[in-house]
Amino acid sequence: MTIDVLVVDDQAVVRAGFAAVIDAEEDMTVVGEAGDGAAAVSLAEQLTPDVVVMDVRMPGLDGITATRILTGRDNPPRVLVLTTFDLDAYVFDALRAGASGFLLKDVQAAELLQGIRVVAGGESVLAPSATRRLIGHYASGPPTGPRAGHDTGVLAQLTARERRVLTLVASGLNNAEIATELDITVGTVKSHVNALLRKLQVRDRVQATILAYDLGLVRAIPPGTHP
């Protein structure tokens, strides 16, 4: 299947460059381009792209706000935030707004294309530096205990194995690494991940990771130990 992509960036040259790289792929089509968040929201409604490649800093409606609007709709597109600014505020705000990924603009073309395919497939992608800081930001706080405003009762829906898988997902492990950690197959890991996403009512691994940190689950069972 072809992945329909909407490219959003306020710099015309940058936007055209991304669009050219994406459109050259056999499994991708650039269905539209926008120079600001308001145009992105409008075009996304008309064109129903599978993935929106979204800049953060734009005049008028910024990329974070546009992402929040898009992901709040029925059947929302996946949003891959792409920015020059590798700042904590942008990373956290983008993910909390519903973005499925965060990459820097200096990423290699192959990594950008892979990121689009990953988020289109329902997974999430983060620049390594963003992942390290996301984990470090929360890990520097109390190792256990829910943060204000979050109901720990949602974790009661998970089986012990699903909770363990969530802990490992939130610790930055991919499916293959989780399979090795728990001595199970990658297919079984995928089944557990899909089940916990459904039970927690979150879109993807990024949102599950944020929820796990907010609920104080992360670091309760550190990676490298077995139940």
Side-chain angles (χ1 to χ4, degrees):
M1 295 179 61
T2 300
I3 303 170
D4 291 341
V5 182
L6 174 63
V7 179
V8 185
D9 196 291
D10 65 329
Q11 298 183 50
V13 173
V14 173
R15 190 169 67 243
F18 287 145
V21 169
I22 296 167
D23 228 7
E25 297 297 294
E26 293 184 357
D27 61 337
M28 298 183 194
T29 299
V30 174
V31 294
E33 299 179 30
D36 58 60
V41 169
S42 177
L43 278 177
E45 185 172 12
Q46 299 173 38
L47 303 172
T48 61
D50 300 305
V51 176
V52 178
V53 175
M54 180 78 75
D55 188 20
V56 170
R57 295 185 63 175
M58 296 182 291
L61 193 69
D62 63 80
I64 302 298
T65 304
T67 296
R68 186 174 294 111
I69 293 171
L70 290 175
T71 59
R73 291 175 169 174
D74 292 333
N75 301 315
R78 311 284 291 183
V79 179
L80 176 60
V81 171
L82 208 62
T83 182
T84 306
F85 303 92
D86 185 20
L87 301 177
D88 286 353
Y90 290 144
V91 177
F92 300 142
D93 288 349
L95 299 180
R96 290 190 182 281
S100 295
F102 184 100
L103 294 174
L104 299 181
K105 284 186 178 179
D106 62 1
V107 70
Q108 296 295 314
E111 294 177 79
L112 169 61
L113 297 171
Q114 178 62 14
I116 292 172
R117 292 185 180 102
V118 167
V119 298
E123 295 292 336
S124 54
V125 60
L126 286 176
S129 59
T131 302
R132 287 194 297 271
R133 291 202 319 282
L134 178 65
I135 292 173
H137 172 79
Y138 284 97
S140 64
T144 59
R147 297 173 188 271
H150 292 279
D151 179 11
T152 56
V154 297
L155 292 178
Q157 305 172 64
L158 305 182
T159 65
R161 179 48 61 91
E162 288 166 353
R163 184 166 171 155
R164 174 67 170 135
V165 169
L166 174 59
T167 302
L168 296 175
V169 166
S171 297
L173 276 66
N174 60 35
N175 286 350
E177 291 168 336
I178 294 173
T180 298
E181 178 75 19
L182 300 181
D183 194 24
I184 56 180
T185 68
V186 172
T188 300
V189 174
K190 290 180 179 179
S191 295
H192 286 315
V193 171
N194 289 336
L196 67 88
L197 293 181
R198 183 180 66 255
K199 291 179 180 181
L200 297 177
Q201 298 183 351
V202 293
R203 285 180 300 276
D204 52 39
R205 297 165 75 100
V206 169
Q207 299 300 310
T209 295
I210 291 173
L211 180 60
Y213 282 121
D214 284 341
L215 292 174
L217 178 62
V218 175
R219 297 182 68 194
I221 309 175
T225 63
H226 293 275

